[in-house]
Amino acid sequence: MMFAMSSSHAIEEGTTLTPRYDASGLVTAVVTDAANGELLMVAHMNAEALAKTVESGEAWYFSRSRQALWKKGETSGHVQRVVELRVDCDQDAVWLRVEQQGAGACHTGRRSCFYRRVPLGQSGAVTLEFAEARAFDPDAVYRKP
Amino acid sequence: MMFAMSSSHAIEEGTTLTPRYDASGLVTAVVTDAANGELLMVAHMNAEALAKTVESGEAWYFSRSRQALWKKGETSGHVQRVVELRVDCDQDAVWLRVEQQGAGACHTGRRSCFYRRVPLGQSGAVTLEFAEARAFDPDAVYRKP
């Protein structure tokens, strides 16, 4: 007699991509620099963004603030070529290892969105430390002509 | 005459840690191996988990499924010592660079939760490829005596 695999077993140990989208239809996308492991950004994908990324090998996301599909770099030219795409155990997050084209990934002008350090060993209010300088001028890159 | 900084400017360019928690009171926590940049896991933190992480230098999270605070490694012994903590531009995600104690971070027995690769250049159904073998026996590590 055969028993079906439990749902969580199939999600964790299976070879079928079955993304577990949240209530807004999104999975979390973690984007690291394939060259050095630096975390560049965290974004979100709906099913269409994920399909376009898989098909094209370039990163597409879904903007929660604009409620719109977007290709990374469509305004800035800072396209992300996906070297490797992975999915996590419970299939609600994906990991993109990318070649970041252009000067950076962050709309503030830094290479990484994670340009501020949180000092450890403190309680109460924390003063952030800048760990990374601007790599490009966001006004020049994002302002349309 | 002085003008107050815009709220988004203060969040992006300020030195005050002001996490932007979602409707469930959580920020996204991305956890990489400080030694090699490998993405180990994605989890979530509420204000208490973030405060405990900053104070102790060890990783605490909030489990959405169990709706409970947890210290990584409290059952498995696989504690994460935080080497560096960063926050992203809009302060809704944090990046932990950690020293992973024990054999791995994933409850399935792998070092990383991202143990399956999504092949690129395809449309339609996708067959995942296993990129990482088990590093420990989860039944032995997580089953209480």
Side-chain angles (χ1 to χ4, degrees), chain A residues 74-95:
Chain A
E74 65 189 354
T75 304
S76 63
H78 300 174
V79 170
Q80 293 173 337
R81 195 179 75 76
V82 184
V83 173
E84 188 179 37
L85 180 63
R86 293 198 186 188
V87 65
D88 78 340
C89 44
D90 58 1
Q91 301 208 26
D92 64 358
V94 294
W95 174 20

Side-chain angles (χ1 to χ4, degrees), chain A residues 10-17 28 30 32 36-39 42 44 51 53-57 64 82-95 106-108 110 112-124 126-128 130-132 134, chain B residues 10-17 28 30 32 36-39 42 44 51 53-57 64 82-95 106-108 110 112-124 126-128 130-132 134:
Chain A
I11 290 167
E12 292 176 358
E13 301 299 334
T15 57
T16 305
L17 180 62
T28 302
V30 174
T32 63
N36 62 15
E38 183 186 23
L39 179 59
V42 172
H44 295 83
T53 300
V54 171
E55 287 171 28
S56 71
R64 294 180 301 177
V82 184
V83 173
E84 188 179 37
L85 180 63
R86 293 198 186 188
V87 65
D88 78 340
C89 44
D90 58 1
Q91 301 208 26
D92 64 358
V94 294
W95 174 20
C106 183
H107 76 287
T108 69
R110 280 87 175 187
S112 163
C113 294
F114 293 81
Y115 48 84
R116 284 171 299 183
R117 187 180 294 120
V118 185
L120 299 172
Q122 303 186 3
S123 56
V126 167
T127 299
L128 303 175
F130 278 81
E132 191 182 319
R134 280 217 169 76
Chain B
I11 291 167
E12 292 176 358
E13 301 299 333
T15 57
T16 305
L17 180 62
T28 302
V30 174
T32 64
N36 62 16
E38 184 187 22
L39 178 59
V42 173
H44 295 83
T53 300
V54 170
E55 287 172 28
S56 70
R64 295 181 299 178
V82 183
V83 174
E84 188 179 36
L85 181 63
R86 293 199 187 187
V87 64
D88 78 340
C89 45
D90 59 0
Q91 301 209 27
D92 65 357
V94 294
W95 174 21
C106 184
H107 76 287
T108 68
R110 280 86 175 189
S112 163
C113 293
F114 292 81
Y115 48 84
R116 286 171 297 183
R117 188 180 294 122
V118 185
L120 298 172
Q122 302 186 3
S123 55
V126 166
T127 299
L128 302 175
F130 279 81
E132 191 181 320
R134 278 215 170 77

